[in-house]
Amino acid sequence: MTVLGRGIGFIRGMAFCRLMDDTDVGRWSMAFGFITLITPVMLLGIPGVLPKFTEYFRLRGQLPSFVRRIAIGTLACTGVFVAAMFFTPSWFGYFIFLKAESASLIYSVATAMVGMIIYNFVSDLNASLRQVRLVSLMQFIHGVGFTVLSLVWLVSGGDFQGLVWMFTAASLIATLPGFASLITNWVAVTTSHKIENQSAELTRSADTQNTNSNNESPCEKDSHDSDVADETGPLDLAGMIRRLAPYALALWMVNLIGNMFELSDRYMILHFLPVPSDLTNGLSLASIASLRETMGQAAVGQYHSGRIIPMVLLSVATMIAGVLVPYLSADWEAKKFAAVRTRVGDTLLAVSLIFTLGSAFAILIGPYVFGTLLQGRYTDGLRLMPMALCFYTWAALVSIGQCYLLTAEKGRSIAIAMFGGLVANIVLNGILLPQFGLTGAVIATLCSHCIVMLGIWSAMVIYGCPITKTWIGLSILPASLLVSPWMAMIAVCVGVVLIWRDDAQRERIVEALPAKVRAFI
């Protein structure tokens, strides 16, 4: 379902570029980027604690209280931010689109954010309970639903704003299976919570009797009972905040800086793309500003076309990371630290090989996709796509590496790496964008993604996850896309051979295969 859903998303992206002009494609890119990237920032990282801490509180019989309080915090943050958008639509219109759009468009964006928050909360909660199939179903319904609704809307003559409403409807429809699963299983979760509390009470009672028989001092007995109560008793709000606040703050910083980093190149293009002097001769300042706005949105549309295939890869990596964190957290809570490092290493290896091979194939079919499916209207997107595939594969590796640091509760190191990439992206865009236009912006983004990846690898080494020669190779592998797709394919084949010759890695690969495939091998 994941592969098929991402394939449908690719078709949707192609259709958007074909059915809309590049200016409207640029506006959609900015609106979609704002909806998906600003949401975790304005929620202060509160729902982001679910994948990491659901297992922690489940083991202590405190899951219902934990989820209820996270939901209340999420609702409060959503209400404040959406109210701000409704009261100041003109400011948000300029911030997102570089001009004061109609208030109705900003209201539709705010509504889409609410739908996205509901969908993400339900999806994250089910993923944290390791309901992988259900989460895949939700993602599939969301992708297919949005594709069908949006294409019907555009084919019937609908405008750009209607796409935002179609996105909202798809988010709410995709939430239904997750809600149904939670409602069905919530009674079981609550019952388990009560049983675990009763079991803890029986354990404390037995420990008290043993303590009395062994003439344990009252001070030692009280201390022992207090420790058990802290682990299995009612969830104290202050204690919960103390436990979650450092992680939530670090995650909020990661989301804020990371999303600023993700959006910075498009905003730099939109606001600072140079306008050729021969086009401005004799124009008033207002006409020059209007021309800059149109050219900037068109350039963002060209950039968006070159990112359609790379974004499919990154969305798959994001899904993998979302599924991976709950399993890493379960291993971490069980003190299986070696298993955590092995899971992360194997996942990085698979992502680098598969994504590089897929990117090479995408470059080979690029002329057909852009020349035939997109009618030759996005030549800049085709030219810049190899660089986009390279840095988005690096971004995919970073999203997997972040899982280790988040599991180890070292999110601040991720924020530092992202901040370094953000500063580099802004500085390099400021230097290269005026000289080389859109190409300079993509080169700047490529270099800044490399800086972020190096920062994440350094943090992983510092916090107990050593980098091997294999990791160095898989980090360099996506750069072969800049040479040629055939070079990338050869490099992937060499990497596969080297991995297969390693006995430990080959054994883990074979164990991960279905039983029928293992029997055949």
Side-chain angles (χ1 to χ4, degrees):
M1 284 192 295
T2 298
V3 173
L4 183 59
R6 295 308 183 268
I8 292 173
F10 167 74
I11 295 173
R12 180 180 65 242
M14 292 289 106
F16 281 9
C17 291
R18 182 160 182 160
L19 296 173
M20 295 189 292
D21 60 34
D22 52 0
T23 301
D24 278 343
V25 171
R27 295 172 72 201
W28 164 249
S29 178
M30 299 306 298
F32 182 73
F34 180 81
I35 293 168
T36 56
L37 297 178
I38 206 67
T39 298
V41 174
M42 64 93 166
L43 293 178
L44 305 179
I46 293 175
V49 304
L50 288 171
K52 165 62 179 172
F53 287 101
T54 292
E55 181 70 9
Y56 176 87
F57 288 104
R58 188 193 69 81
L59 292 174
R60 288 153 180 80
Q62 300 167 336
L63 183 59
S65 298
F66 166 68
V67 172
R68 183 171 59 253
R69 290 170 181 175
I70 295 300
I72 293 172
T74 302
L75 181 63
C77 292
T78 302
V80 171
F81 196 85
V82 169
M85 293 188 68
F86 270 81
F87 282 112
T88 58
S90 58
W91 186 89
F92 280 95
Y94 182 81
F95 177 76
I96 301 172
F97 301 105
L98 192 58
K99 66 177 183 178
E101 295 279 359
S102 64
S104 61
L105 175 58
I106 303 305
Y107 298 157
S108 66
V109 171
T111 306
M113 290 178 57
V114 174
M116 190 68 177
I117 290 168
I118 296 173
Y119 169 80
N120 284 339
F121 186 92
V122 175
S123 176
D124 287 346
L125 182 54
N126 279 285
S128 66
L129 295 170
R130 300 192 288 280
Q131 301 296 314
V132 179
R133 290 183 179 88
L134 179 62
V135 174
S136 296
L137 176 62
M138 291 178 61
Q139 293 173 341
F140 179 79
I141 294 174
H142 188 274
V144 173
F146 180 45
T147 298
V148 173
L149 293 173
S150 60
L151 294 187
V152 169
W153 175 261
L154 290 176
V155 170
S156 62
D159 59 0
F160 152 72
Q161 184 175 338
L163 291 182
V164 182
W165 290 111
M166 297 302 104
F167 182 81
T168 305
S171 299
L172 296 177
I173 292 171
T175 304
L176 297 178
F179 262 128
S181 176
L182 292 174
I183 292 173
T184 302
N185 294 295
W186 194 251
V187 174
V189 172
T190 306
T191 303
S192 174
H193 167 61
K194 293 179 180 178
I195 291 174
E196 290 180 18
N197 279 342
Q198 293 171 359
S199 176
E201 291 293 337
L202 292 174
T203 301
R204 284 195 292 271
S205 177
D207 289 344
T208 301
Q209 294 177 1
N210 292 334
T211 298
N212 292 336
S213 63
N214 293 331
N215 295 322
E216 184 179 293
S217 69
C219 180
E220 292 174 340
K221 181 185 72 173
D222 292 343
S223 174
H224 177 73
D225 288 349
S226 176
D227 291 341
V228 174
D230 287 343
E231 291 293 310
T232 61
L235 183 57
D236 176 60
L237 179 59
M240 173 183 163
I241 293 175
R242 286 194 300 270
R243 182 70 181 91
L244 300 182
Y247 184 89
L249 178 60
L251 188 63
W252 179 80
M253 292 174 59
V254 170
N255 288 325
L256 175 63
I257 299 173
N259 292 340
M260 289 173 62
F261 171 66
E262 177 65 21
L263 287 172
S264 58
D265 51 0
R266 277 168 281 174
Y267 274 100
M268 293 287 285
I269 294 170
L270 188 63
H271 288 266
F272 299 104
L273 184 75
V275 179
S277 57
D278 57 333
L279 298 179
T280 60
N281 293 333
L283 296 180
S284 63
L285 293 178
S287 298
I288 293 176
S290 178
L291 178 62
R292 180 186 299 276
E293 171 199 323
T294 302
M295 290 186 60
Q297 291 178 346
V300 172
Q302 292 283 340
Y303 184 34
H304 176 81
S305 69
R307 293 168 59 247
I308 291 175
I309 298 177
M311 281 299 296
V312 171
L313 299 179
L314 183 60
S315 65
V316 173
T318 303
M319 185 277 298
I320 294 172
V323 171
L324 185 62
V325 169
Y327 286 94
L328 296 180
S329 297
D331 286 338
W332 194 271
E333 293 296 328
K335 310 300 182 185
K336 299 178 181 178
F337 304 120
V340 172
R341 292 190 288 269
T342 300
R343 282 186 192 270
V344 172
D346 290 347
T347 307
L348 284 171
L349 192 61
V351 166
S352 180
L353 292 171
I354 296 174
F355 282 28
T356 302
L357 184 62
S359 297
F361 180 73
I363 294 174
L364 291 177
I365 67 171
Y368 170 77
V369 172
F370 282 80
T372 302
L373 299 183
L374 298 183
Q375 303 172 316
R377 293 165 47 204
Y378 295 90
T379 55
D380 287 341
L382 174 62
R383 178 172 52 85
L384 301 173
M385 188 175 67
M387 285 190 287
L389 286 166
C390 176
F391 68 68
Y392 269 112
T393 302
W394 280 339
L397 295 175
V398 165
S399 68
I400 303 301
Q402 287 178 3
C403 295
Y404 176 82
L405 295 172
L406 290 174
T407 303
E409 300 185 41
K410 304 299 180 182
R412 285 178 294 181
S413 60
I414 304 174
I416 293 173
M418 289 290 184
F419 183 75
L422 173 63
V423 172
N425 203 13
I426 293 174
V427 172
L428 291 174
N429 264 290
I431 297 173
L432 299 177
L433 187 59
Q435 299 183 42
F436 304 104
L438 187 57
T439 302
V442 179
I443 293 174
T445 305
L446 175 71
C447 296
S448 58
H449 272 281
C450 183
I451 291 172
V452 173
M453 183 176 64
L454 294 176
I456 295 296
W457 287 178
S458 300
M460 292 175 69
V461 171
I462 293 172
Y463 295 113
C465 191
I467 302 296
T468 63
K469 293 180 180 179
T470 303
W471 284 31
I472 296 175
L474 65 87
S475 302
I476 298 174
L477 184 61
S480 61
L481 296 167
L482 303 176
V483 180
S484 75
W486 300 109
M487 177 63 71
M489 289 182 177
I490 293 172
V492 169
C493 292
V494 172
V496 170
V497 171
L498 294 176
I499 292 168
W500 192 255
R501 293 176 60 183
D502 185 285
D503 294 337
Q505 288 183 327
R506 182 174 66 252
E507 182 178 353
R508 290 198 301 272
I509 293 172
V510 172
E511 289 179 353
L513 296 174
K516 293 182 179 180
V517 179
R518 290 201 304 269
F520 177 78
I521 294 177

